[in-house]
Amino acid sequence: MPTIHITTVIHAPLERVFDLSRSITLHKRSMAHMHEEAISGRTNGLIDLDETVTWQAKHLGKVRQLTTRITEMRKTEYFCDEMVAGDFTYMKHEHHFKEIGNGTVAIDVMEFGTPYGWLGRLFERFYLYKYMTNLLMLRNQVIKDYAETEKWRVILD
């Protein structure tokens, strides 16, 4: 099963980075190029423990839906979202946050699996791993941009 690890240093306070990372509104902005929308469950604001969101977007030439639930949360240090419905056979995304002297380290760990046996494994290895990594890196860059500038006020105030 593929596992993506991404570490992002953000020069902003821990609480701000944590909240921006669970903002449905900011997630939609970061995925605007995919026309991603939250269509049910929590559709704006900050997602919290046991809440779900269903995302709809066009990926790989097809409109797809993915429903995730926040299954664990420790305020300002960790939360985890897991797929409850979607095209993956399994998807778990852990978000870890650590305060450092000049800001916050955000660590993403995402595991996922695809159907279709060995064809799915080939697809994961030669395409989907890089595709998902790039999406997460783009999302983190948007969080960093908002957190390190006054843009965060539009989302959290």
Side-chain angles (χ1 to χ4, degrees):
M1 180 174 326
T3 303
I4 298 168
H5 293 262
I6 297 173
T7 301
T8 308
V9 175
I10 302 174
H11 302 287
L14 177 66
E15 187 172 347
R16 182 186 308 163
V17 175
F18 181 82
D19 285 346
L20 288 171
S21 296
R22 60 193 186 99
S23 169
I24 300 297
T25 305
L26 188 57
H27 183 92
K28 288 189 282 190
R29 289 182 185 203
S30 72
M31 294 294 130
H33 66 290
M34 298 287 192
H35 306 288
E36 190 160 325
E37 287 295 325
I39 60 169
S40 69
R42 168 66 81 163
T43 58
N44 57 46
L46 303 180
I47 197 160
D48 215 335
L49 183 63
D50 291 326
E51 290 185 322
T52 63
V53 58
T54 299
W55 297 101
Q56 181 172 287
K58 189 170 188 177
H59 292 280
L60 307 173
K62 179 181 172 190
V63 175
R64 300 173 189 276
Q65 291 183 0
L66 174 72
T67 302
T68 61
R69 175 181 306 279
I70 302 299
T71 57
E72 297 179 65
M73 183 177 288
R74 292 187 304 277
K75 293 285 185 182
T76 71
E77 77 179 67
Y78 172 80
F79 71 93
C80 179
D81 56 283
E82 296 186 59
M83 182 187 83
V84 294
D87 288 345
F88 293 108
T89 55
Y90 173 80
M91 193 280 297
K92 180 178 181 179
H93 184 183
E94 296 180 353
H95 309 255
H96 301 266
F97 305 90
K98 292 198 180 280
E99 190 170 31
I100 57 174
N102 60 350
T104 304
V105 173
I107 301 167
D108 290 88
V109 179
M110 178 185 261
E111 298 175 321
F112 62 90
T114 57
Y116 311 119
W118 64 271
L119 284 174
R121 302 302 85 69
L122 286 174
F123 179 65
E124 289 170 3
R125 183 175 184 167
F126 292 108
Y127 182 78
L128 193 57
Y129 180 87
K130 184 175 181 178
Y131 182 83
M132 296 299 292
T133 299
N134 288 339
L135 283 179
L136 288 176
M137 289 174 67
L138 173 63
R139 179 180 175 278
N140 285 359
Q141 188 57 48
V142 170
I143 292 168
K144 180 179 176 71
D145 179 47
Y146 274 72
E148 292 180 347
T149 66
E150 292 300 307
K151 291 180 184 179
W152 69 270
R153 293 181 186 282
V154 175
I155 303 298
L156 299 179
D157 272 355

